[in-house]
Structure formats: C-alpha cells, structure tokens
Amino acid sequence: MKVHKTSIVIMPKNEDELHHLRRGLEAILGETQLEYEILAIAQGNIEPDFCFDYQQGDNYKLILIGQELNKFRALNVIRQYASDESKYLLFVDSLDGLTPDVLRYRIELFAADPSVGVTGEFDASVAFDPTKFFYHLATEVNLTQEEYKNKCFGTEGEPLAVKDTIWATQLSTWDKIGGMPLKSPSSFLEYQFRCLLLGYKIITR
C-alpha cells in the first residue's frame, strides 16, 4: 500500500510552542516511517530573528504571515507552500493523544480508501439535530431530507463530524472544495459537510 507524502501543519502561538510542537512531531514521526514535511505558520506572535534559528530543509518550512489570521484563513494561505509531492494534509493543534500509531492510522486511511475525505476524532459538540448541521446547504443542492440524513449522519443518528484539533484530509479533496469555506462561522464543519455532499467519507474513529 503506497502512502504518499503528508504536509503537517502547526500554528504555534509563541516561540516555546513552536519548539515543543516541532520537536515532538519529529520524534513521533521518526517512529512511523511516513514521508512528511512540517509547515509551521508563524504570525505576528513570533519574532523573525527567532525563526532563522531553525534550519529550513526538505521536511520543514516556517512561513511568516504578516497579519493575524484565524487558523482557517491561514490554512488557505499556506496551501501554496505544500510540496508538490504531498498528497495529504494533517493539521495538529496539540500533541495530546497523538502517538505514532494514531498518526500512521490517520494517513494510511487515505491510501487504503481514496474516498475518505476527512478523518479525525468525533466531535461530540456538534448538535445531533439534523436541522442544525448545515441543512440549508443540502437544500441548495436539492437533497431530500432522507438523502441528507443518509449522507451526513451515522447509523446511530450522529452527525459525521470530527474535531478541529487533529485532523487530516486529502489535498485533492481540499482543492476540489476550494479550501476552507470562510463565509461560515463554522468553517471546518462546513468543509466536512461539503466533503459529504461530494460523496467523500468522514471517518470519526
């Protein structure tokens, strides 16, 4: 099973977190045998002089963004920096619960099943009420309520949605959707919803 290169995105809040996330990720990745690059987004919270202390090589890029952006706008900006060889994008907000096995599992899902759109931990905070999970978007594409439920909810009626802390997607899926939708206050949920409407799977385990 061929597992392609993964672009792993981190958005450190300060210099200490940049050091912690990068070193921690490299240690975890060293046990996975995955091919990867780390894209670190540094906004106005990290001094440029500090950034130059970090060697930028084939598997590490530090991208300086001059203005403060929320993480979804920033993700749209850095898409252009992903390596041409990368096929997957993994966003890591925290190392909590991230192990070599978990990381490998998230990425290998795509190689095993190209129809997977997003994978991550189930987001229990999303309302189970079908009328609150972007139903208005389903009506825009003329889905019946039954079709909507079949596409967007699991066997126990749970919305197919993952948390925005550690998640992965295919870059081809990202490009097809056009990146994070920014008009909605729930950009990542809408991204997942649009994946489901296009027939992609959301894996929440």
Side-chain angles (χ1 to χ4, degrees), residues 30-125:
E31 298 182 44
T32 66
Q33 297 183 325
L34 293 173
E35 188 179 358
Y36 70 92
E37 65 178 355
I38 295 174
L39 304 179
I41 302 175
Q43 301 190 57
N45 44 16
I46 295 178
E47 293 296 326
D49 287 346
F50 176 84
C51 299
F52 296 127
D53 290 339
Y54 282 80
Q55 181 180 0
Q56 301 193 54
D58 292 338
N59 68 341
Y60 178 72
K61 299 174 188 173
L62 195 143
I63 298 124
L64 291 171
I65 298 177
Q67 57 183 320
E68 288 288 335
L69 302 174
N70 69 34
K71 63 183 174 183
F72 303 119
R73 287 185 179 276
L75 278 168
N76 284 347
V77 169
I78 66 122
R79 168 64 182 96
Q80 62 189 297
Y81 294 96
S83 164
D84 291 340
E85 291 77 39
S86 282
K87 299 296 183 185
Y88 317 123
L89 182 147
L90 173 72
F91 178 80
V92 177
D93 198 34
S94 165
L95 298 179
D96 293 345
L98 187 63
T99 65
D101 287 343
V102 167
L103 196 151
R104 189 187 303 109
Y105 169 73
R106 294 284 173 227
I107 300 306
E108 288 180 348
L109 275 172
F110 298 121
D113 185 354
S115 68
V116 174
V118 180
T119 176
E121 186 179 346
F122 175 64
D123 187 352
S125 70

Side-chain angles (χ1 to χ4, degrees), residues 67-200:
Q67 57 183 320
E68 288 288 335
L69 302 174
N70 69 34
K71 63 183 174 183
F72 303 119
R73 287 185 179 276
L75 278 168
N76 284 347
V77 169
I78 66 122
R79 168 64 182 96
Q80 62 189 297
Y81 294 96
S83 164
D84 291 340
E85 291 77 39
S86 282
K87 299 296 183 185
Y88 317 123
L89 182 147
L90 173 72
F91 178 80
V92 177
D93 198 34
S94 165
L95 298 179
D96 293 345
L98 187 63
T99 65
D101 287 343
V102 167
L103 196 151
R104 189 187 303 109
Y105 169 73
R106 294 284 173 227
I107 300 306
E108 288 180 348
L109 275 172
F110 298 121
D113 185 354
S115 68
V116 174
V118 180
T119 176
E121 186 179 346
F122 175 64
D123 187 352
S125 70
V126 177
F128 276 51
D129 183 347
T131 64
K132 294 181 180 178
F133 188 49
F134 293 105
Y135 182 59
H136 63 287
L137 295 178
T139 60
E140 287 178 14
V141 294
N142 299 318
L143 283 187
T144 67
Q145 189 162 0
E146 190 64 28
E147 289 171 329
Y148 162 68
K149 286 183 177 180
N150 289 339
K151 276 181 175 288
C152 302
F153 290 79
T155 54
E156 297 181 9
E158 76 281 7
L160 297 172
V162 306
K163 290 181 179 179
D164 66 356
T165 50
I166 299 175
W167 54 270
T169 190
Q170 299 191 70
L171 285 170
S172 59
T173 308
W174 178 274
D175 292 339
K176 186 176 291 187
I177 291 173
M180 284 290 165
L182 298 177
K183 292 182 179 179
S184 167
S186 303
S187 296
F188 183 49
L189 278 178
E190 183 173 340
Y191 176 80
Q192 296 176 72
F193 188 85
R194 292 190 180 280
C195 283
L196 290 166
L197 292 185
L198 288 174
Y200 290 103

